[in-house]
Amino acid sequence: MITLLDYGAGNVRSVINAIENLGETVKIVACDQDILAAEKLVFPGVGAFGNMMRILQEKKYVEPLTTYLHSNRPFLGICLGLQALFEHSEEAPGVNGLGIITGSVKRFVIDLSVPHIGWNGLNFKQGSRIFSGLGGDEKFYFVHSYHVVADDASVILTTTDYGCEFVSSIQKGNIIATQFHPEKSGRAGLVILQNFLKATAGPIFPVRSAATTTLAKRIIACLDVRSNDQGNLVVTKGDQYDVREGGDVRNLGKPVELAQRYYAEGADEITFLNITGFRDFPLEDMPMIEVLRQTSKNVFVPLTIGGGIRDYVDKDGRKYDALEVAAEYFRSGADKVSIGSDAVLIAEAYLQTGRRTGRSSIEAISRVYGSQAVVVSVDPRRVYVNSADEVKHAVIETAIPGPGGERYCWYQCTIKGGREGRDLDAVTLAQVCEKLGAGEILLNCIDRDGTNLGFDIELINAVATAVSIPVIASSGAGRVEHFHEVFTATEAESALAAGIFHRREIPIAEVKKYLDGKVAVRR
Ligand code: 1PR
């Protein structure tokens, strides 16, 4: 029996699923006595340091947790569960951590995108039983803006390189904690969890420990989901956002089955977009929540869900806010939520007033779950103009002239799945959303969607150079070379595709095989 400390601010569902998948049962802490009575305690932390410590204080968990940690019984901290062990964090000045390990938590000050999101490797500093069965060159999933700095080097198990060398796991007696998420790190992550749970192996020093580690470029499989005219939830795919063929919604398969296939085929992440979310309401749209629950039972890579994340008033006049919608998604197995139409409206309001309200979906969700949990999905369309100063938007000079020979264009944001164009450009939207707390930009392109012509490199460059958060390039992948192009000609951290994977034109493994040796990928 594994005891799991859930303080209610993150996706513990995936940790529970991973542990259950390994044949163990999980008891969730309901009171301080459960912590004191635990035989093996797992503490997955997600969100913000200050919020976490406040909830632990309110629930009166700090004392029993400290007692447990001093008792030298097995403990596994994950992500914020590692940071909690330290004395304090720059994320929440003045808030005390548990202080089990001397040192502090600092924000990345580097010349790279922050948060550090994605699959990176480990430099092994000492052996540990959790490394049994690892070769040493595996990659693990990270998602964080802060990292721990330990005063005592003897507790450091591994480090990882991302603009600097930072501590990615520690061990002190029976206390083990990782900055990466084993429950989201595919097979290699399950091996680490298994080693912690079974506690049979002695210390192992993996043989293929690299001198430096590299963040892999991520390949993301995207599933656009909606109900078809018969009322079945299907994965569909549009051509420039038109998902109908001969009048019917294209049906390319079942969401849970396809997600499992892509996990098995090596997808680094899976994104579900409820493409009619702008007119449905997710809390009434239980099938989508069920899709997440079912998928997260067997798929151990990060899951993002988008569609309909916004404040909402139901037909009886009851108000729901976007945070409630997101919370339900996180509880059901999502790691990130993606906000589309609402982000455009939020940015417009911000640009009009120049003020943060603190209440927008982006601000509210990032405050509780951390900015890394908030993706902004952008649906832009090219608008050609004759000169750079014809409009007040971010205009680029393009190598692909318009129908009238225009040499300039801007990228107009749309809402409601491309149905409504707004007076806002994609570059400004991304910058405002970053300011408000978004952690990642999912950059679609209506002109390229479903065309197989390749990613819109000009669009991606315009946005990726304007923000410091990671950008996911999306729309238009048709050949393996397109992935190479987007990773070498732009600063995109990941590339998302749909049609070529659904139609089995190019398997994910083939994309990675082509990229291997040219850009860093997770094999
Ligand atoms: O506005 O917050 O409710 O979110 C709705 C979400 O649904 C948005 O993220 C929006 O991008 C998405 N969406 C809405 N309508 C469509 C549509 O296709 N009719 N899909 C849609 C967006 C684009 C990508 C696609 C890539 C790769 N689809 O998801 O997967 O373009 O395709 P490809 O590799 O085949 O070219 P809200």
Side-chain angles (χ1 to χ4, degrees), residues 484-498:
H484 183 247
E485 181 188 28
V486 81
F487 288 138
T488 48
T490 80
E491 290 173 16
E493 309 251 338
S494 44
L496 173 151

Side-chain angles (χ1 to χ4, degrees), residues 222-224 237-238 240-243 273-279 306-310 338-342 377-379 415-419 442 444-445 448-452 474-477 496-500 503:
C222 183
L223 286 74
D224 289 354
K237 184 72 225 20
Q240 297 177 317
Y241 283 37
D242 180 1
V243 298
L273 295 176
N274 175 0
I275 66 168
T276 51
F278 69 90
R279 60 173 181 240
I309 297 175
R310 62 192 154 92
S338 157
I339 303 173
S341 305
D342 200 37
S377 166
V378 194
D379 300 313
I415 59 172
K416 302 178 183 170
R419 288 169 181 80
L442 164 50
N444 301 299
C445 175
R448 292 295 174 102
D449 175 58
T451 62
N452 288 8
S474 165
S475 305
L496 173 151
I500 52 166
R503 295 187 298 265

